[in-house]
Amino acid sequence: MTWRSVTFVVWTVLGLATLVVVALAMAGRGRIARPSALLFPVSTHPVVRVLVVLGWMWVGWHFFAR
Amino acid sequence: MDRVTGHGADRSSGRRPVLTAARVAGLVGAAAYAGLLASTRPFTVEADVVTAVALVAAASAVVVRLAGDRSVPDGIGWRPYLPWLVMAAAVVAWELACFFGGARPSHPTLSSIYDIVARSEAAKAAVVLAWVGLGWALVRT
């Protein structure tokens, strides 16, 4: 197995693990925050909001412009 | 509804129409923007300018939002977010391991995986649309 294959396998496992967390959050009773609530912390402090939006801006610039 | 975890349904506010004229206009505009940005190539003036449109719009919206928001932050618990933090830490750790691990073809990062996906203009437009949707949610939340 090549390193490239190993890397893709790990990325796939991480993606599937994220889906498991989503499923557990949707099926649970509040022990795990639902995806729709993940942005709630953003609304609680202006500094957090600015930092998160700056991160979003960097992602867009990195992927689409540079 | 629990504002922190998102569990439970708030039935007191009644049902609101899902598709309003403003929402339809927003979706059409976002789709058009996604198509336009997907048609550009990175490292060109066109890509810089079209990407910057969304950045300036988001920055302006945040400034307006912060100027008008004087609400006191609520206290939130961290436990409902722990699994998400663990997943985010794992993704960041693997991204860094790939980034510093050696040659990119052998250790593809999220960026190089995106480069593969973005060879299709339709797939790139879908990524742009998701990015715009996330930005809208970040500004609106």
Side-chain angles (χ1 to χ4, degrees):
Chain A
M1 196 176 212
T2 63
W3 270 113
R4 183 176 175 83
S5 302
V6 171
T7 304
F8 276 118
V9 166
V10 173
W11 279 126
T12 304
V13 168
L14 288 172
L16 291 175
T18 302
L19 291 179
V20 169
V21 172
V22 170
L24 290 174
M26 300 305 286
R29 296 183 180 279
R31 280 177 286 187
I32 301 176
R34 287 183 171 178
S36 61
L38 287 181
L39 294 180
F40 176 72
V42 175
S43 67
T44 60
H45 202 285
V47 174
V48 176
R49 181 187 296 275
V50 169
L51 289 177
V52 171
V53 172
L54 282 176
W56 174 84
M57 293 169 81
W58 176 83
V59 166
W61 191 257
H62 173 62
F63 280 118
F64 308 130
R66 293 288 144 179
Chain B
M1 182 168 67
D2 188 320
R3 293 178 66 199
V4 175
T5 64
H7 287 270
D10 181 6
R11 302 187 188 284
S12 61
S13 58
R15 302 187 71 173
R16 290 181 296 180
V18 176
L19 279 182
T20 62
R23 283 180 180 172
V24 170
L27 286 172
V28 170
Y33 175 80
L36 180 63
L37 184 51
S39 69
T40 65
R41 295 173 59 85
F43 298 100
T44 62
V45 175
E46 290 81 10
D48 291 354
V49 171
V50 178
T51 304
V53 168
L55 304 188
V56 170
S60 304
V62 168
V63 169
V64 170
R65 181 71 189 260
L66 291 180
D69 187 7
R70 293 287 179 267
S71 60
V72 178
D74 297 330
I76 58 171
W78 56 272
R79 285 185 184 277
Y81 297 97
L82 185 58
W84 294 105
L85 291 174
V86 170
M87 284 308 309
V91 168
V92 169
W94 188 240
E95 173 77 356
L96 291 174
C98 291
F99 186 78
F100 293 109
R104 196 58 61 237
S106 300
H107 302 82
T109 60
L110 284 175
S111 297
S112 44
I113 293 173
Y114 164 76
D115 287 339
I116 297 170
V117 172
R119 289 174 189 164
S120 159
E121 199 167 297
K124 183 178 177 181
V127 174
V128 172
L129 202 55
W131 177 69
V132 169
L134 178 61
W136 179 79
L138 288 173
V139 171
R140 180 176 173 269
T141 301

